[in-house]
Amino acid sequence: MMRWNWILLGLLVIVPVQAQELPENLEGLGLRESTMASRDMPGWKVPDKILVRSFFGQDVAAMLQPLTPDVELVAVTTVEDAVANIDGAQALFGFCERSILEAADSLHWVQSYFAGVENCVSLPAMQGGMVLTNGQRLSSPTIADHTMALTYGLVRGLDLFQGAQAESRWDMQAAPSLMSFGELSGRTMLVVGLGGIGSQVAQRAHALGMKVLATRGSRREGPDYIEYVGLGHEAIHLAKKADIVVNAAPLTDATRGMFNKEFFAAMKPTAYFVSVGRGQSTVTADLITAVKTQQIAGAALDVVDPEPLPADHPIWSTPRIIVTPHVAALSAETWQRIWALVGENLRRYVAGEPLLSVVGIERGY
């Protein structure tokens, strides 16, 4: 059967191109195909109506409509829009809100644009046989780049020099901290959560000459550029060996609050903590204490708890903590991969084929 490949030009104009495999920009990401065809899933039917959330000013429904001319794609921009239009819709793209799901009468499939679905899988309506797909691995290369940027920022003291620059001071007082850590090459990184993001981070660290250790929740297998892959409970023990600890784990019952005072006490006082996974996996107060008391050397956070951070939150004023506002996934390439996945899954669902990136509801990712 013919598949669609896409070229995205200008403002995300989609040009269909014949291809035999996945859309080109989805190749090599390790996306998983469901073992069950859509047509074999209880409740499936060729859809008549799908709600599609417009995002970042893009009318995604209009972009996708040429792929399925016989299916009504309804553009919605708000939760209220979705609630008002959900009657008769078999699928919902871009939203997973309790009020929408409770108002639905025909909903079978929810497609999230992003990887994080912890607030979706916990909804009662998702426990009744509904199918959920997400954007896992689509932003992994971009987040890995951001992770390495945060790592370099800590190791080279860019936060310290940026503070001096803001005050127009030529200040070399941070130089001793640069001498104490040295270079990344030869150092050890622990990646907690060896999924799509973790694998991309590990690959970059290895390319820089670092020794890479990792943990994952399900098995010990990993690429050959990782020296050791342990299970989740081993993270605190491996932290003792690491110069950089990266949180790339999904939020589950097992990872919620795992980066706590006991974990930070296990780290080297010269080590840095970088978090791009989920904010609630870190106990914020324990992290602040660990940095302030120099139990660890510093931290860089793209995800925090709470989020967004209130203006008076102590993280803002804690030296050696770098914060970026949950932007690690943002790039033109990420958006192109999201729209490619959504379109490919739409084509597959209508044709009754296996979907990509189906979430295990009970597992949470």
Side-chain angles (χ1 to χ4, degrees):
M1 179 176 292
M2 180 180 67
R3 300 194 178 208
W4 293 105
N5 190 8
W6 297 352
I7 301 171
L8 288 89
L9 303 172
L11 293 177
L12 294 176
V13 176
I14 300 177
V15 181
V17 182
Q18 291 186 15
Q20 299 301 315
E21 302 298 336
L22 286 175
E24 183 177 352
N25 55 358
L26 298 183
E27 293 178 353
L29 294 175
L31 299 185
R32 293 175 296 185
E33 183 179 78
S34 173
T35 57
M36 180 182 292
S38 297
R39 66 174 64 88
D40 296 329
M41 294 176 174
W44 177 87
K45 58 172 273 190
V46 176
D48 304 308
K49 175 182 175 181
I50 296 175
L51 263 59
V52 183
R53 181 185 183 183
S54 300
F55 207 75
F56 270 19
Q58 300 296 322
D59 186 346
V60 184
M63 292 161 49
L64 297 175
Q65 189 66 75
L67 299 177
T68 53
D70 297 329
V71 180
E72 181 187 10
L73 302 186
V74 180
V76 292
T77 57
T78 66
V79 171
E80 292 73 21
D81 278 346
V83 169
N85 289 278
I86 195 64
D87 281 354
Q90 287 83 39
L92 172 67
F93 292 179
F95 281 118
C96 188
E97 304 288 336
R98 179 188 293 266
S99 58
I100 305 173
L101 270 56
E102 290 180 349
D105 59 359
S106 306
L107 194 61
H108 180 250
W109 171 36
V110 175
Q111 168 72 63
S112 170
Y113 293 156
F114 303 103
V117 289
E118 60 270 9
N119 293 327
C120 181
V121 297
S122 62
L123 296 177
M126 295 305 301
Q127 311 300 317
M130 204 172 295
V131 181
L132 173 64
T133 54
N134 70 350
Q136 58 187 269
R137 295 178 177 263
L138 302 183
S139 59
S140 297
T142 302
I143 295 176
D145 284 352
H146 196 87
T147 301
M148 299 314 297
L150 293 175
T151 299
Y152 269 118
L154 287 171
V155 170
R156 298 307 301 168
L158 299 188
D159 53 314
L160 301 174
F161 296 119
Q162 179 63 32
Q165 179 181 346
E167 298 175 359
S168 302
R169 289 186 291 107
W170 186 270
D171 189 350
M172 297 182 65
Q173 294 302 309
S177 68
L178 306 184
M179 298 289 290
S180 65
F181 190 94
E183 302 172 352
L184 285 179
S185 179
R187 295 286 186 160
T188 298
M189 175 180 283
L190 169 62
V191 178
V192 180
L194 191 62
I197 297 169
S199 296
Q200 293 275 346
V201 171
Q203 187 178 44
R204 284 157 174 74
H206 173 76
L208 292 171
M210 299 190 75
K211 180 169 72 173
V212 183
L213 311 174
T215 63
R216 67 192 320 166
S218 55
R219 61 191 191 279
R220 295 183 181 276
E221 291 80 14
D224 57 11
Y225 51 80
I226 298 178
E227 183 170 297
Y228 178 80
V229 179
L231 298 180
H233 69 274
E234 297 179 65
I236 193 168
H237 305 292
L238 295 173
K240 301 173 183 178
K241 304 178 180 181
D243 300 295
I244 306 289
V245 174
V246 175
N247 167 27
L251 185 63
T252 66
D253 289 342
T255 64
R256 191 181 302 272
M258 71 172 293
F259 300 103
N260 54 21
K261 60 183 179 181
E262 289 81 15
F263 190 95
F264 298 126
M267 290 175 59
K268 299 178 183 179
T270 55
Y272 293 105
F273 176 70
V274 180
S275 185
V276 293
R278 279 291 180 257
Q280 291 177 10
S281 58
T282 302
V283 180
T284 304
D286 291 355
L287 173 63
I288 292 172
T289 298
V291 174
K292 283 185 173 181
T293 61
Q294 299 182 339
Q295 200 167 37
I296 64 174
L301 315 170
D302 185 60
V303 292
V304 292
D305 182 31
E307 193 170 298
L309 279 177
D312 60 351
H313 198 281
I315 279 184
W316 292 120
S317 58
T318 302
R320 299 314 328 263
I321 294 184
I322 299 173
V323 178
T324 57
H326 207 146
V327 294
L330 300 184
S331 72
E333 292 82 359
T334 291
W335 296 126
Q336 290 169 6
R337 287 189 286 265
I338 288 173
W339 308 140
L341 174 77
V342 171
E344 176 67 4
N345 264 349
L346 172 60
R347 185 200 65 75
R348 286 168 174 248
Y349 189 84
V350 172
E353 298 175 10
L355 294 173
L356 297 170
S357 304
V358 176
V359 174
I361 301 297
E362 296 301 323
R363 185 180 61 183
Y365 59 93

